[in-house]
Amino acid sequence: MISKQFFHTLNARVKKAEQATDAELVTVLAPASDGYRFIPTLWAALLAMLTPLIIHELDFWLGWKEILMIQWGVWLVLTALFQWTPIKMRLVPQSVKQHRASMMARLQFIEQGLHRTRDRLGVLIFVSVAEHHVEILVDDGVAQHIEDKVWEEIIEEFVAKVRSGKLEAGFVECVERTGEVLSDVFPPTHERNDLSDDLIVLEQP
């Protein structure tokens, strides 16, 4: 649960960062980047298919109707159980989670209008909590002057905070460090604030 104070704190940090640079900074938080309902259901179906073999190995004398009913029951129970987020996220391959989160980040870059900023100085800090995914996306104007490894170092520290349950502190530090990098390369030449300074929280998929 995110505290109300965090929203105010992050908003203030974004405003402060943008006052020191010509870049536009937007923050987006997603509980998850996908519902991932298909993969857990598939796992449940695969395990349910083993039910007849297990019954046979245990030497239970059951008719095919009873075995079928048990198999259906196993599938239904596992399907419900595997939709519980802590279990579900362990069942989804890491590559799938990272791909979905990365695609969501790029979608948000477009939806939040970061590709339309003056001088192409849009910067997105995107966090998808369920996947422990943090990404900093920048437009061409920023990418031409700041190497990716600069953002990678900031992201690495933020991800460590997310994994340890310190999302709020990590987000604030990420905004501050991002602002420092941007202010060094793109100091303010005129006042601008075309995009929202508030943290954008996406709905649970």
Side-chain angles (χ1 to χ4, degrees):
M1 180 66 70
I2 299 176
S3 66
K4 291 183 179 180
Q5 182 59 40
F6 168 66
F7 284 95
H8 295 300
T9 301
L10 192 66
N11 176 275
R13 293 297 192 279
V14 172
K15 286 181 180 294
K16 182 178 179 180
E18 289 190 332
Q19 288 171 356
T21 179
D22 273 346
E24 285 275 2
L25 180 62
V26 172
T27 56
V28 176
L29 176 68
S33 292
D34 194 288
Y36 302 108
R37 295 178 179 84
F38 172 73
I39 293 177
T41 302
L42 179 60
W43 272 108
L46 290 174
L47 293 175
M49 290 176 63
L50 298 176
T51 303
L53 177 61
I54 294 174
I55 292 175
H56 174 73
E57 290 296 322
L58 294 176
D59 289 330
F60 288 139
W61 292 92
L62 299 173
W64 68 268
K65 290 184 178 180
E66 289 83 359
I67 293 176
L68 184 61
M69 292 298 295
I70 293 173
Q71 190 173 34
W72 273 98
V74 169
W75 179 74
L76 290 173
V77 170
L78 291 180
T79 297
L81 178 63
F82 289 172
Q83 292 303 321
W84 187 39
T85 300
I87 296 178
K88 177 168 61 176
M89 297 309 294
R90 290 182 176 275
L91 295 175
V92 179
Q94 185 66 20
S95 60
V96 173
K97 291 187 289 188
Q98 293 304 311
H99 175 72
R100 298 289 173 82
S102 183
M103 290 297 292
M104 179 62 75
R106 280 148 184 76
L107 176 62
Q108 286 301 309
F109 191 91
I110 299 300
E111 288 194 354
Q112 303 307 327
L114 283 156
H115 62 301
R116 296 196 300 266
T117 60
R118 191 186 310 178
D119 302 325
R120 307 295 294 273
L121 298 181
V123 178
L124 170 70
I125 299 177
F126 175 83
V127 181
S128 194
V129 180
E131 295 87 356
H132 296 154
H133 183 89
V134 175
E135 195 157 353
I136 298 177
L137 295 180
V138 301
D139 210 346
D140 292 342
V142 177
Q144 291 172 5
H145 296 87
I146 302 176
E147 296 181 355
D148 288 343
K149 66 179 182 180
V150 174
W151 306 123
E152 290 170 359
E153 292 175 0
I154 297 175
I155 290 171
E156 185 177 349
E157 293 183 7
F158 194 176
V159 170
K161 287 287 180 61
V162 174
R163 291 185 182 278
S164 62
K166 300 177 181 178
L167 171 65
E168 297 183 8
F171 220 139
V172 171
E173 291 177 11
C174 180
V175 168
E176 291 176 343
R177 289 196 58 191
T178 299
E180 291 170 0
V181 172
L182 294 172
S183 64
D184 288 341
V185 183
F186 307 105
T189 59
H190 55 276
E191 186 176 349
R192 67 169 74 183
N193 192 16
D194 300 327
L195 303 177
S196 174
D197 296 330
D198 293 329
L199 174 63
I200 298 167
V201 180
L202 305 181
E203 294 183 0
Q204 181 77 36

